[in-house]
Amino acid sequence: MSSAWSPRRKVELAASRYPARLRWLAALLVVPAIVLSQLPGWAMLLLLGALVVLVRGWRLPQPVALELHAQTLTVTGQHTQVMERPLRVIRHGPWLAMQTPKGWLHVFEDQAPVAELQPFYQWLWTNRKHS
């Protein structure tokens, strides 16, 4: 990481354990709706099997690295994206979701220490769009 006086910051993000938990939590919320529906038994089993396949294949897009230049934020993940101005940003405690032109990206608390992410939180807050 750069020095405290440098206008450039970079943080490498570790893998998070939360996306897997969110996938299975979403499945647990859908299962009662399928079971309580008035569908025949074979249709319920088919939907429950499809749900398991869909949940196992779903991947939450997460960045691998964040780099803050003087006026831009570079997000490296599946696609490298450069943002001069953030779109919508949701921050709830140490969890951060940011909308980019290619979709939503999520940064969880276990990917990096909050102290390393603080400059990114500040940049996103001060450069946000006011509607």
Side-chain angles (χ1 to χ4, degrees):
M1 179 136 112
S2 304
S3 72
W5 298 102
S6 172
R8 183 180 199 127
R9 298 271 182 173
K10 184 171 184 174
V11 63
E12 299 290 329
L13 301 173
S16 177
R17 66 182 183 271
Y18 288 106
R21 291 179 181 181
L22 289 174
R23 283 195 320 253
W24 292 110
L25 179 64
L28 288 175
L29 291 174
V30 173
V31 166
I34 293 173
V35 171
L36 295 175
S37 68
Q38 297 296 320
L39 294 172
W42 64 269
M44 279 190 219
L45 289 176
L46 186 67
L47 284 174
L48 290 173
L51 179 66
V52 170
V53 170
L54 290 172
V55 165
R56 291 189 75 196
W58 178 66
R59 299 285 178 248
L60 189 65
Q62 291 181 282
V64 175
L66 299 173
E67 188 170 357
L68 186 62
H69 307 274
Q71 294 298 319
T72 59
L73 175 67
T74 304
V75 182
T76 308
Q78 186 177 2
H79 305 284
T80 299
Q81 303 176 48
V82 178
M83 291 192 300
E84 292 181 6
R85 203 164 172 160
L87 300 172
R88 289 186 287 174
V89 175
I90 300 170
R91 182 171 177 224
H92 184 60
W95 168 70
L96 171 72
M98 60 185 135
Q99 185 183 22
T100 66
K102 296 183 180 176
W104 286 89
L105 295 174
H106 304 273
V107 178
F108 295 96
E109 66 180 338
D110 61 346
Q111 289 185 280
V114 176
E116 287 186 25
L117 294 173
Q118 194 62 35
F120 300 96
Y121 295 155
Q122 290 172 347
W123 184 87
L124 290 166
W125 175 257
T126 56
N127 293 311
R128 71 191 186 284
K129 287 184 181 179
H130 297 284
S131 9

